[in-house]
Amino acid sequence: MSPLRRAIALLPVLASLAGSALAQTPFPARPLTIVVNGGAGSLPDLFARPLADRLRQALGQPVVVDNRPGAGGMVAMQVLKSAPADGHTLALVTNAHAVWNPYVFPKLGYDPAADLLPVSPVAVIPMALAVHAKLPATTLEELVALAKAKPGQLNYASSSNGSPPHVLFELFKSQSGTDIVHVPFKTGPDALTSVAAGDTQVYLAATSLLEPLVKDGRLRVLAVSPAVDNPTFRGVPTLASRGHPGFESAVWLGVVARTGVPAEVVARLNREIGAALQDPALQQAIAGHGSIAWHDSAEAFAQRIAADRARWNPLLQKLNIQAN
């Protein structure tokens, strides 16, 4: 056999050896990145940083938080989508990125079902509907009456197009029959600043984000979902109790990778995230944000996302939410 034919004959063997070596590459082999659709100080950022620190300790590699706010998460998801499928790049997402965005953005740039691989849930985020303290509405019913008396004259803030505050408030508008104008911002803190200043009047956001301004009297909370064990929100009615169902456990945070990451890498990441969520310091941090720690298998998380899509897709089609 000639040297050329011998080399050609060896190609399948060499390819097999290369694939075997790749499969046996230890994980992690280099620093990890958690991409976050939120700026510094945003709620996702406040979760990502202590989680990154616990993963750094468990995995023995640096874990960097990469803040990519704006565009309803499309910037962050493009970073994840373009990364190698080896598990070294992850993203902390909400159900907006995994479920809602295809119905908000006509040109999304990624397919949640095809491009995102569920790794682990992290937390359920309680929400509260708050208004500027000077708005003449002390109950949800008074807010609805005021909005109906002044259609198109009240504004509500959100952390971006397609974000949970945007989608959930559009659900509230549909249920209440009100016309309140959407004003999207780039981050949650930006939206909060607007409502605190009175430039916008209403904000449906995480209880932890609203709490400091509720305590100092600049905001008034009219409803929560779900009920939270927090003195600041004690006695505040739930949205469901006031005739607005569908908000219970509606917002969650979870870690995803891009599709193609090996199953054993996903299993390792899920295991380490679960261990991190058992850490008392991280549990205290999550509770301090007014949230509820949540861990499950990657398979169960994927099932929850599929169930959310089945539940929300018909509703989102009906709401016909469009990015401003």
Side-chain angles (χ1 to χ4, degrees):
M1 183 182 294
S2 70
L4 178 59
R5 287 184 177 179
R6 196 159 35 242
I8 293 173
L10 286 172
L11 284 176
V13 177
L14 293 172
S16 175
L17 289 173
S20 177
L22 183 61
Q24 294 173 15
T25 299
F27 176 86
R30 62 179 187 277
L32 283 76
T33 298
I34 300 178
V35 184
V36 175
N37 174 41
S42 65
L43 188 63
D45 181 73
L46 294 176
F47 277 86
R49 293 189 182 279
L51 179 60
D53 186 57
R54 298 309 182 283
L55 291 178
R56 174 188 60 78
Q57 296 174 34
L59 297 171
Q61 287 281 0
V63 182
V64 178
V65 175
D66 184 6
N67 296 96
R68 299 294 184 110
M74 286 191 285
V75 176
M77 295 305 97
Q78 286 294 339
V79 172
L80 177 68
K81 183 180 174 181
S82 63
D86 57 12
H88 289 84
T89 301
L90 307 169
L92 187 64
V93 301
T94 68
N95 33 332
H97 313 114
V99 179
W100 298 340
N101 274 358
Y103 294 90
V104 179
F105 299 95
K107 296 180 179 179
L108 188 56
Y110 75 98
D111 181 344
D115 297 328
L116 305 185
L117 181 63
V119 173
S120 174
V122 173
V124 173
I125 313 297
M127 305 291 281
L129 194 158
V131 298
H132 187 269
K134 292 185 178 179
L135 193 74
T138 59
T139 66
L140 207 58
E141 292 77 11
E142 289 179 357
L143 173 64
V144 170
L146 181 64
K148 288 184 175 180
K150 299 182 176 182
Q153 296 182 47
L154 297 182
N155 299 321
Y156 80 91
S158 85
S159 51
S160 69
N161 283 307
S163 64
H166 178 199
V167 173
L168 292 178
F169 201 86
E170 288 298 317
L171 174 60
F172 173 77
K173 284 170 54 180
S174 175
Q175 292 178 348
S176 60
T178 53
D179 177 14
I180 304 176
V181 179
H182 178 218
V183 181
F185 290 85
K186 193 171 184 179
T187 69
D190 292 338
L192 186 64
T193 298
S194 168
V195 183
D199 298 328
T200 53
Q201 294 81 45
V202 190
Y203 193 19
L204 177 59
T207 54
S208 59
L209 189 63
L210 299 172
E211 183 176 5
L213 276 71
V214 174
K215 283 183 173 180
D216 70 14
R218 284 183 283 175
L219 297 183
R220 179 188 305 119
V221 175
L222 306 185
V224 295
S225 185
V228 291
D229 184 18
N230 181 317
T232 303
F233 303 98
R234 193 165 293 149
V236 177
T238 64
L239 281 159
S241 73
R242 289 297 183 265
H244 299 282
F247 296 84
E248 305 83 5
S249 300
V251 182
W252 46 256
L253 278 171
V255 174
V256 299
R258 58 157 292 180
T259 51
V261 172
E264 60 271 19
V265 172
V266 172
R268 172 81 188 280
L269 288 166
N270 179 277
R271 188 166 60 250
E272 298 298 354
I273 292 170
L277 291 172
Q278 292 299 314
D279 183 273
L282 185 55
Q283 287 184 340
Q284 185 175 3
I286 290 174
H289 299 324
S291 302
I292 304 161
W294 171 34
H295 180 255
D296 213 328
S297 67
E299 294 77 15
F301 187 31
Q303 291 170 5
R304 167 61 190 266
I305 293 173
D308 277 3
R309 287 175 182 145
R311 172 192 172 200
W312 279 96
N313 289 357
L315 180 58
L316 290 166
Q317 288 178 321
K318 179 182 176 182
L319 291 175
N320 192 30
I321 299 171
Q322 298 295 320
N324 294 44

